[in-house]
Amino acid sequence: MPIALLTDFGTRDYFVAAMKGVILSINPKAVIIDITHEIPPQDVWTGAFVLKSAYKWFPSGTIFLAVVDPGVGTERLPLIIKTRRYYFVGPDNGLLSLAAEEDGVEAVYKIEAKLPRISTTFHGRDVFAPAAAYLSLGIEPRLLGVPVKSWIKLEFPAPRVEDNVVHARAIYVDRFGNVYTSAREEAFQIAQYGDTLCFEAEGRIIKAKFVETYGRARAGETVALINSEGYLELAVAMGNAASTYGLKPGLDLKIRKCI
């Protein structure tokens, strides 16, 4: 079973290497894959969204070890979530919830297996990495923890259409500065390719041509498109929409066809 890692640790420090060292000490044959370690520090929502976007492309049986954990050392639970096809290991702060619920949760366990000495500030190394390593050896999660009935779940913002206006939210900004919105096929209820869409954010209007792909735009042109994950995205061709317009995840958006 491969182990896929997602953290906000970055690559400058030793944190990711320490986690991998623990995994390999328990299972020297473990296959470890990095999803990303560049989640913004303590940004649980972005971590959850990236995990949700990535997990489904991995083979069945993959163990996802995700650590964005501002509550480390507190009463928050360490979890193993068994879903229809995968295992998710990480803190009980909503980080695992979007991906796990989408795949179908079968059981949730509070981790009790851990290293003999546990730091209050590095559960990624001392709690989550050992659990993931034991799972990769085929050990059942019921032998690593105890079942729990309640756990924290994030709510994905559902878009709605009222009077030809899509009410949505900015949910993610990628490294190119493209701004993902929570709207999906709702865009086609108000416009078609070639139309100009008006995005209203904090009282400001951003106009974007609705296109099929980035190559249909001139350099510097603001466009809207349906991206590879199926979300309506605001982008600047060969530029950065987030910095150009000061957009960030969490902003409410009203999207309509420009008159």
Side-chain angles (χ1 to χ4, degrees), residues 182-231:
S182 58
R184 298 173 73 92
E185 69 278 357
E186 292 84 5
F188 294 108
Q189 297 182 36
I190 63 169
Q192 58 186 355
Y193 290 130
D195 290 336
T196 299
L197 294 177
C198 283
F199 289 73
E200 182 179 345
E202 297 185 320
R204 185 176 45 169
I205 302 297
I206 302 166
K207 293 185 177 182
K209 185 178 179 181
F210 192 21
V211 297
E212 295 177 90
T213 188
Y214 309 102
R216 299 295 185 188
R218 303 183 305 275
E221 185 177 9
T222 301
V223 296
L225 52 87
I226 303 297
N227 65 24
S228 61
E229 290 299 313
Y231 298 101

Side-chain angles (χ1 to χ4, degrees), residues 11-19 122 125:
T11 55
R12 177 183 179 276
D13 297 301
Y14 61 89
F15 307 132
V16 174
M19 289 174 60
F122 199 178
R125 178 193 65 195

Side-chain angles (χ1 to χ4, degrees), residues 8-9 22 94 97 99 112 114 132-133 148 168 177 196 206 217 234 251 256:
D8 60 349
F9 294 163
V22 168
S97 64
E112 296 198 329
K114 55 195 74 172
V148 296
T196 299
I206 302 166
L234 184 67
L251 287 178
R256 66 179 186 276

Side-chain angles (χ1 to χ4, degrees), residues 21-36:
V22 168
I23 292 169
L24 292 171
S25 295
I26 294 170
N27 181 4
K29 295 182 179 180
V31 176
I32 305 173
I33 302 163
D34 296 297
I35 298 174
T36 183

Side-chain angles (χ1 to χ4, degrees), residues 20 36 60 70 82-83 85 111-112 121 131 139 157 166 221 228 230 234:
K20 291 180 178 181
T36 183
S60 181
K82 183 182 186 299
T83 67
R85 294 183 297 163
I111 299 170
E112 296 198 329
T121 61
I139 295 175
V166 179
E221 185 177 9
S228 61
L234 184 67

Side-chain angles (χ1 to χ4, degrees), residues 33-53:
I33 302 163
D34 296 297
I35 298 174
T36 183
H37 300 292
E38 301 301 329
I39 299 299
Q42 293 88 49
D43 189 342
V44 173
W45 169 264
T46 295
F49 179 79
V50 172
L51 184 60
K52 176 182 182 295
S53 299

